[in-house]
Amino acid sequence: MEELGVLIYGYNGEDASRLSVFLDDAVGCHVFLMSASGKNGEKVIDILENRANDSFADEETKILLLLGFTEEQVRTVLGSFPSGEGAPQRPIFCMLTEENRNWPLDRLLEHLEAERRYWAEKKPDVQS
């Protein structure tokens, strides 16, 4: 079985710990958690290869980049993400691609925010 990992950005240490427990429970095995905090100018692939960063910082944009997850595991994580009082803010979920692996983290964040805005505008208004 391939090692499961998550590159996390935008969460403080307390929320990162909660997310680690949630991810382990959701998929039924240990998920390696690594932080991208403070690495905004670095390429995503370089952040992943270095792995050594235990610095976590609150940021407006929050992401979880899922690594090695099966389609079923991704659906489980997305569907069971904690909500309600005391739960970490829901992130933008993404996967590593051939294209984004060589982007600086800042570019990935900008791209994900643009996608979020696009889909929010496409969402039909719910009327009673």
Side-chain angles (χ1 to χ4, degrees):
M1 181 164 131
E2 188 175 340
E3 180 181 29
L4 299 180
V6 173
L7 181 67
I8 184 175
Y9 179 86
Y11 290 99
N12 62 37
E14 186 177 319
D15 281 342
S17 293
R18 287 186 187 123
L19 289 170
S20 181
V21 170
F22 157 70
L23 290 163
D24 289 355
D25 290 346
V27 297
C29 65
H30 177 68
V31 176
F32 183 80
L33 194 73
M34 62 199 101
S35 174
S37 292
K39 307 277 185 172
N40 296 51
E42 295 183 33
K43 286 184 180 180
V44 172
I45 192 65
D46 292 338
I47 297 168
L48 294 172
E49 287 175 354
N50 184 8
R51 287 192 177 198
N53 187 7
D54 59 356
S55 172
F56 296 93
D58 271 319
E59 300 288 345
E60 186 175 332
T61 300
K62 298 180 183 330
I63 69 164
L64 292 183
L65 190 148
L66 306 175
L67 304 157
F69 284 67
T70 65
E71 192 173 319
E72 182 181 337
Q73 289 168 326
V74 170
R75 280 194 302 270
T76 298
V77 168
L78 270 63
S80 63
F81 194 83
S83 61
E85 189 175 333
Q89 180 182 329
R90 190 171 180 91
I92 300 173
F93 294 96
C94 59
M95 304 289 285
L96 187 66
T97 67
E98 286 300 317
E99 185 177 359
N100 69 21
R101 66 188 292 121
N102 291 307
W103 290 356
L105 180 61
D106 280 341
R107 181 173 177 195
L108 176 63
L109 295 170
E110 289 170 10
H111 176 79
L112 293 172
E113 282 292 343
E115 271 189 348
R116 175 185 268 173
R117 284 189 302 275
Y118 172 82
W119 288 111
E121 292 170 5
K122 287 284 200 186
K123 192 181 289 186
D125 291 331
V126 177
Q127 298 187 6
S128 304

